[in-house]
Amino acid sequence: MLRAHAVDDVRRAERAAMDALADGALMQRAAAGLAAAVLDLLGGAYGRRVLLLVGPGDNGGDALWAGARLAGRGARVEALLLSERAHEAGLRALRSAGGRATRDLDALDPALDVVVDGIVGIGGRPGLDPASVAALERFAGVPVVSVDVPSGVDVDTGRLDGPHVRADLTVTFGTHKVAHLVDPASAACGALHLVDLGLDDEALGEAVVAALQPDDVRRLLPRPGPFAQKYSRGVVGVRAGSGTYPGAALLAVAGADTGLVGMVRYVGPDAIAHTVRSAHPEVVGAGRVQAWVVGPGGGDDAATMLAEARADGVPLVVDADALQHVDGPLPGSVLTPHAGELAAMLGVERTEVEAAPLGFARDAAARWDCVVLLKGHHTLVADPAGRVRATTTGVPWLATAGAGDVLAGLVGALLAAGLEPYDAASVGSWVHGAAATRASAGGPLTAGRVAVHIPQVVRETLAGLG
């Protein structure tokens, strides 16, 4: 499990580590890891042109010490000092290794191979000062490596408030931070590289946000026992589709009918039911289920679909048109809104949800006493107890019509197979993203192709190939 911790917890763990190490050893570990990551990005050091943007704190110190290592390997390293204060030992080390430092932005050659963002670290406030903004603008287009977090983001919430660095690579230390996993800041991080500092897990405490990894998904995925039969493996029902949106029923059923349960039932208009069964002959009609998927493409019938599904007293996946008819707590169920749908449910603007998805997902989970899967670049799954998981699988091509219908069907199947709602939502989101990556192969995809690739992703994950 990848875990992201709050700033205060990270600082406490770092203090505990420093008490057990020689003075400056922790910074040396960080600098060595940072320098190695920059070398890997550049493909070597000799003759490369590196600029350090150096702020007043330890973040700037990490950059200076890493710069000294790069200069010692033959790189041409310059540091732009953006404050009257700079880490003295790091500055001396850079100069001793042949690097140079200046406060004159105009004196710097804009022809660079990489910019290292050491402006502010985890203690910085959102936004950047004018001098930092000017430096970033001067070197626009040069690859940027951020030290710990992109400067200017809100580290503990993932919010953006004012100018900030947009990194190609973020090298973080000890543990991930919330901004690495939560939008919109996560999109500013680029690729992530974690440098192990040997921080104590007990000192770090509980993670604020977690992200499933293949081993976690492998452990959680349902699999049939030696005496399984179709009913014991779980039965999921789908109530979806309308005359306006018949395809939504097909896609929701496709997400459910991927082999993770023993049976899929479809209940909907006769004409759509005929189309569904033509495409999925193993799908049957009304009967007992362990979970319902309700709402994709439901249109004017969505309220009736939701009421009829609730009457069965089983867990629900409430999606799309049915979300607007949620009028009270739904314990044991999963809501799957995108930002616009959640905004409508909460009576706020979509831009507010997009600016602070972590807070709104948590608030919604508490309000409706159920799991909320908030779809986005990094989908968030929140439960009423405050736990949150972020999904880091997937590709931008997944932002396509019908993808959410497939996801709803998949999560419903996992619920029916016996997973708890929090696990069903987060495993479903992970598998959905991984299937999209496989279906895309670097190019466009459609929702139906995502469903087709789900069994192969599950097969590879169970085999330890993910």
Side-chain angles (χ1 to χ4, degrees):
M1 190 86 71
L2 188 155
R3 294 176 171 82
H5 292 84
V7 168
D8 287 348
D9 294 334
V10 174
R11 285 174 166 165
R12 182 177 62 249
E14 288 178 343
R15 286 194 295 269
M18 286 189 287
D19 288 344
L21 295 170
D23 187 39
L26 205 65
M27 182 172 284
Q28 291 303 317
R29 288 183 184 178
L34 174 59
V38 173
L39 282 169
D40 186 59
L41 177 70
L42 295 176
Y46 190 79
R48 302 298 197 274
R49 297 156 299 176
V50 179
L51 175 66
L52 316 174
L53 300 181
V54 178
D58 286 348
N59 189 260
D62 294 333
L64 289 166
W65 277 108
R69 290 173 177 267
L70 293 170
R73 296 283 296 272
R76 193 186 79 184
V77 183
E78 297 179 292
L80 178 63
L81 307 181
L82 294 166
S83 171
E84 291 302 314
R85 293 184 296 111
H87 192 277
E88 293 183 4
L91 190 56
R92 287 196 302 271
L94 175 67
R95 287 171 169 156
S96 296
R100 61 190 285 276
T102 181
R103 290 187 169 86
D104 184 0
L105 175 61
D106 294 331
L108 295 169
D109 185 348
L112 298 169
D113 292 300
V114 69
V115 169
V116 177
D117 158 35
I119 302 171
V120 291
I122 61 175
R125 295 180 178 179
L128 293 174
D129 62 88
S132 298
V133 172
L136 291 166
E137 290 176 347
R138 178 174 173 80
F139 304 110
V142 179
V144 176
V145 176
S146 283
V147 181
D148 220 358
V149 292
S151 295
V153 306
D154 190 316
V155 182
D156 273 348
T157 69
R159 295 188 62 138
L160 300 176
D161 185 12
H164 61 277
V165 170
R166 184 168 292 275
D168 297 278
L169 169 67
T170 296
V171 181
T172 194
F173 310 119
T175 183
H176 289 86
K177 286 73 180 178
V178 177
H180 297 143
L181 298 183
V182 173
D183 293 335
S186 66
C189 293
L192 288 172
H193 176 73
L194 176 67
V195 176
D196 184 11
L197 297 183
L199 301 185
D200 182 70
D201 286 342
E202 187 173 336
L204 281 169
E206 290 294 321
V208 177
V209 180
L212 295 180
Q213 302 300 292
D215 284 348
D216 306 306
V217 177
R218 186 177 306 116
R219 174 177 53 84
L220 290 168
L221 276 168
R223 61 204 79 183
F227 302 105
Q229 40 93 355
K230 61 187 177 185
Y231 294 109
S232 67
R233 290 190 58 208
V235 181
V236 62
V238 178
R239 294 178 181 268
S242 63
T244 307
Y245 304 107
L250 279 166
L251 291 168
V253 168
D257 188 29
T258 54
L260 289 166
V261 287
M263 183 183 290
V264 179
R265 298 185 183 275
Y266 174 73
V267 177
D270 288 343
I272 298 176
H274 176 75
T275 304
V276 165
R277 289 173 194 135
S278 295
H280 301 275
E282 64 274 20
V283 172
V284 299
R288 294 184 62 182
V289 300
Q290 279 73 57
W292 278 109
V293 178
V294 185
D300 294 337
D301 297 329
T304 301
M305 290 177 175
L306 180 58
E308 292 175 347
R310 291 182 73 173
D312 283 348
V314 298
L316 310 178
V317 177
V318 184
D319 185 49
D321 295 324
L323 290 166
Q324 62 187 301
H325 302 292
V326 173
D327 57 4
L330 283 173
S333 295
V334 180
L335 310 182
T336 58
H338 56 58
E341 291 165 335
L342 186 57
M345 296 175 74
L346 294 172
V348 300
E349 295 296 320
R350 178 179 186 138
T351 53
E352 295 179 63
V353 176
E354 290 172 335
L358 177 60
F360 281 106
R362 278 192 169 135
D363 290 348
R367 177 170 176 171
W368 285 292
D369 192 26
C370 65
V371 169
V372 172
L373 184 158
L374 177 55
K375 292 175 279 196
H377 163 250
H378 278 185
T379 289
L380 298 180
V381 176
D383 77 354
R387 295 182 299 171
V388 179
R389 286 176 180 159
T391 302
T392 56
T393 58
V395 289
W397 294 107
L398 185 54
T400 188
D405 303 332
V406 173
L407 174 61
L410 173 57
V411 173
L414 292 166
L415 267 181
L419 293 194
E420 293 299 316
Y422 185 57
D423 289 335
S426 47
V427 169
S429 181
W430 189 96
V431 170
H432 185 250
T437 301
R438 169 179 269 278
S440 167
L445 57 80
T446 57
R449 294 297 300 162
V450 176
V452 167
H453 283 273
I454 288 171
Q456 184 63 27
V457 165
V458 171
R459 190 176 303 118
E460 291 174 353
T461 303
L462 291 175
L465 303 175

